[in-house]
Amino acid sequence: MKQPNIIFIMTDDHASHAMSCYGSKMNVTPNMDRIANEGMRFDNCFCTNSICAPSRAVILTGKHSHLNGVVTLLDDFDARQQTFPKLLQTVGYKTAMIGKWHLGEGGHSDPVDFDYWCVLHGQGDYYDPLMKQQGVDKRFKGYVTDIITDMSLDFIKGRDKDKPFLLMCHHKAPHRPWIPSEKYKDLYNDVEIPQPETFNDDYSTRCDAAREAEMTVDHDLTYRDLKLVPPEGQVKVAPRFNKIAPPESLDGYTLTPVETGIPVSFNSYEELKNFKYQRYMKDYLRCVASVDDSIGEILDLLDKEGIAEDTIVVYTSDQGFFLGDHGWYDKRFMYEESLRMPFVIKYPKAIQPGRVSDKMILNLDFAETFLDLAGVKIPDDMQGQSFKQILEDENAPAIQTEMYYRYWMHLADHGIWSHYGIRTMDYKLIYYYAEALGKSGTIDETREPAWELFDLNKDPHELNNVYDDPQYADIIVKLKADLYKLKAEAQDNE
Ligand code: CA
């Protein structure tokens, strides 16, 4: 069979519960849904380390963080190591990496082995971003999602028609600070975004890790995040540190949106928290709307060029995100909203349209799957498994029913404790070992280690930690044995 083209579209921090094909109550994403409708949707796709750079490194290498070298956000990726794009290149693929790379700027971290590459510096800017094009710095005018889209369309149009291609189209959006395009700046102006069921979670059954997390909508969003005029004298501090904690009294207290310049006052703390939530979510969803347009343009071009049949298109994001769930933004925790990645894929030659699978797949499996689809032997040292069979046959067996997770960045950025854990189809067991272990960017203070157990069938929102409930004692013994077996199999000895 002819080797398929592969278009891997990935965003940064887009949670699946902000996609209409996953049942979003907040927005519609017709072009993301089109991939799902013409192909299939995975409802249990998880990442092994819910943080940007580490997840990207897992995707490229098919190896866990501790083996690919990107354990925390501050670790540079050594791009000389084995990756699936390089292996595809060796069998004749033309490869391109466009957009957000975010795997370091030093040493050997540039994506030099792609046939074409143009990547944002670090996190990248939403407007007029500085990019590195084949090693040369260049500033591009315009909105970042549009720039990455146009570059991707140009790569497809200018492809070598005798060869298959891999296009990695990686968007910055909808990463913080959630700055929308001009086109969508007024989208949702007259709409009230519904709050999630767990918006006012009090963490009462959880260990202290949840209470110490500094990523609440209520306390930790900043003037920059919410596009509010900062008070006089506070602008000297880096904008991301200007958090807006609720005041002691609401009397005379106001916040001023930059777009109107008109101060807003509040009758209650609930009203204040909701005001922040609305501003956060609306900008986030506006950023998503531009990505959805981008996907539509790519799908339309494939039709126009007559290559849709031969092309695999994937849409995913590097991890999930809290969209006010548990009162939070950001990710990092092993909780569902952060752990789960959107994953939709179409490939008309092999995938029946409209399929939905609840079989578990991981970011660790992507590299192996793409190699398998291209007919390339999967190297023995990759740690995931191909799910090609699941794509081709709805009766194919699951490739795994439990997964190993680890977050290493102890207390960094948002104060989340380091932890590892196991998720099965029914349970999640998390161990907060709460130590830095000398990893880059961590804070060298310890916390009292703690366990949490969730019965996912009874408690899908993970509000009820049942670790101390005697009726789960036998289950805990089994889950602990499985956790340490998975950890050993992953060759994680720390
Ligand atoms: Ca991310």
Side-chain angles (χ1 to χ4, degrees), residues 72 74 409-413 438-443:
T72 78
L74 299 182
M409 292 187 69
H410 185 58
L411 299 180
D413 303 329
K439 302 302 168 192
S440 48
T442 53
I443 293 175

Side-chain angles (χ1 to χ4, degrees), residues 11-13 51-52 56 175 318-319 331:
T11 45
D12 200 333
D13 295 354
I51 186 81
C52 311
R56 287 156 194 268
H175 192 277
D318 56 352
Q319 8 65 209
K331 54 259 179 180

Side-chain angles (χ1 to χ4, degrees), residues 34-52:
R34 190 179 147 195
I35 299 177
N37 293 337
E38 294 178 10
M40 68 187 286
R41 184 186 90 210
F42 281 86
D43 284 355
N44 285 313
C45 179
F46 302 118
C47 57
T48 54
N49 184 350
S50 180
I51 186 81
C52 311

